[in-house]
Amino acid sequence: MTLLNVRTNTIPSYEIHIGAGVMKKVGELLRSMTKAGRVCILSDDNVYPIYGKTVTEALEAQNFAVTSYVIPHGEHSKNLETYGKFQNFLAEEQLTRADWLLALGGGVVGDLCGFAAATYLRGVPYVQVPTSLLAMVDSSVGGKTAVDLPAGKNLCGAFYPPSLVLCDTDALSTLTDEFFADGMAEVIKYGMIFDKELLDILDREGKNFDREAIVARSIAHKIRTVEADEFDHGERQLLNFGHTPAHGIEQLSGYTIPHGHAVASGMAIMTRAAEAAGLCEAGCAEKLSAILEKFDLPDDTEFPVSGIASALLNDKKRKGGILTWVMPRKYGFSDLYPMAVGECEAFLAGGRRK
Ligand code: GLY
């Protein structure tokens, strides 16, 4: 088991437990943190039937009274309507500030539960129990919580860190190949921003890599970045490599393209565009495409650059007429690069395959 710790400005630090079977320790760990009587689990209809009982029993064994709220799986649930219904459920159940929420699922459940926790009674504590690779290595850590608006992804949210995160690597074995690949996009992202050695390990070991070691290595990058810039004013924006075009791709697809797959396409388009503009070492895009292919991820999109570029206008990294890109400079290193919004479409067009 690997134990990591995140220092935040918002709450005292919180622990992240990573390893096989850690989900079963949720009752024990939570009891060591609180005398609370009640926990409400938020989960989805894919995950709850697999892990709901395990988590409920672990909590009940420590004398927590457990209620559950199960939403339909998928990005379409991450909206104000589901959020409102969940808030009403918490109120009808008379959950108090002394009680806890627990997110059991992937990124959608984690983001929605976090935002509900941030706002119900102006804030109740919550636990993240991510069951997807993507949620383990990215969204469960760092306290970004949100729901989508019709105008774009994650436009309504808050910074609100969890009080405990449990990444049970056994859960990775129940993921479909598509969901596993989806999370790999975020792992490869850390490699492209900070860590060439991580890319080399993935290249060497392929899908047989050591789950706990790679999840922990990815989360360590996330922690370092979040601790340096919890509220996303600077360095944390690096974690959005590929995400600006990805949000456009997801939106244009009506959220039928999963987040990680869109991020893979976005990273590849950005890297080719950066090479074409002379901003990135030659050969980087080819190496990135090879590693994306190894993990069954796409390196382009069918959507026109004009559509992707218009989605940029709602990007949270746009300030007035300037959009800050995460620019790949070489294989394993990226930095922040501001660009006039008017130049972004032509820049991105350089990233299309000829
Ligand atoms: N997923 C990017 C971040 O947490 O900042």
Side-chain angles (χ1 to χ4, degrees), residues 138-139 141-142 144 186 189 222 226 232 236-237 239-240 243:
D138 183 27
S139 55
V141 176
K144 275 191 183 173
E186 297 285 356
K189 176 194 81 175
K222 175 112 196 202
V226 166
D232 214 11
R236 186 167 181 173
Q237 293 177 20
L239 300 178
N240 284 308
H243 283 55

Side-chain angles (χ1 to χ4, degrees), residues 87-100:
Q87 292 282 321
N88 278 324
F89 175 81
L90 297 174
E92 279 157 17
E93 289 287 319
Q94 299 181 339
L95 248 78
T96 71
R97 276 195 182 150
D99 300 321
W100 286 59

